[in-house]
Amino acid sequence: MTKKLTITVSDEIYERLHRRIGRRKISSFIDDLAREHFMERQLDADYAEAAADENREREAKEWIESGVDDGLPDEDFSEWPGHPTR
């Protein structure tokens, strides 16, 4: 769903938008800018909320310190070009 919005910009911005973005593409350009702006703020809020959850932080720390990759076999890169010999 889309909504029509009327905005006011300076003559300079108007001319630059038409030259750089092109006619019929300005709405999409502004929509993308606004979406990035709000999504970034939402991510910041989500990270702050997660960091405030002490149980989640404790579990994450335990998981990180558990050595989750200790049980994985080492990959053999000896056949790769440029692999240093030991």
Side-chain angles (χ1 to χ4, degrees):
M1 177 185 229
T2 60
K3 298 286 184 182
K4 185 173 181 172
L5 173 68
T6 302
I7 62 170
T8 303
V9 296
S10 67
D11 291 341
E12 177 187 6
I13 296 299
Y14 178 81
E15 291 300 323
R16 287 183 182 204
L17 283 169
H18 275 271
R19 267 193 317 240
R20 187 167 285 173
I21 307 304
R23 297 185 186 275
R24 300 276 188 220
K25 297 178 183 175
I26 295 172
S27 290
S28 294
F29 176 76
I30 292 173
D31 188 69
D32 291 344
L33 283 177
R35 188 176 311 277
E36 287 176 20
H37 177 77
F38 291 119
M39 295 301 281
E40 185 175 302
R41 287 188 177 198
Q42 183 60 48
L43 267 177
D44 290 344
D46 291 345
Y47 283 135
E49 180 183 340
D53 185 338
E54 292 179 13
N55 285 336
R56 183 183 292 172
E57 286 294 303
R58 182 180 38 72
E59 289 173 359
K61 185 177 180 181
E62 289 172 3
W63 183 80
I64 290 168
E65 292 176 350
S66 72
V68 69
D69 63 343
D70 289 347
L72 299 176
D74 290 334
E75 190 167 343
D76 181 12
F77 295 102
S78 60
E79 301 296 321
W80 286 33
H83 183 270
T85 58
R86 294 184 187 164

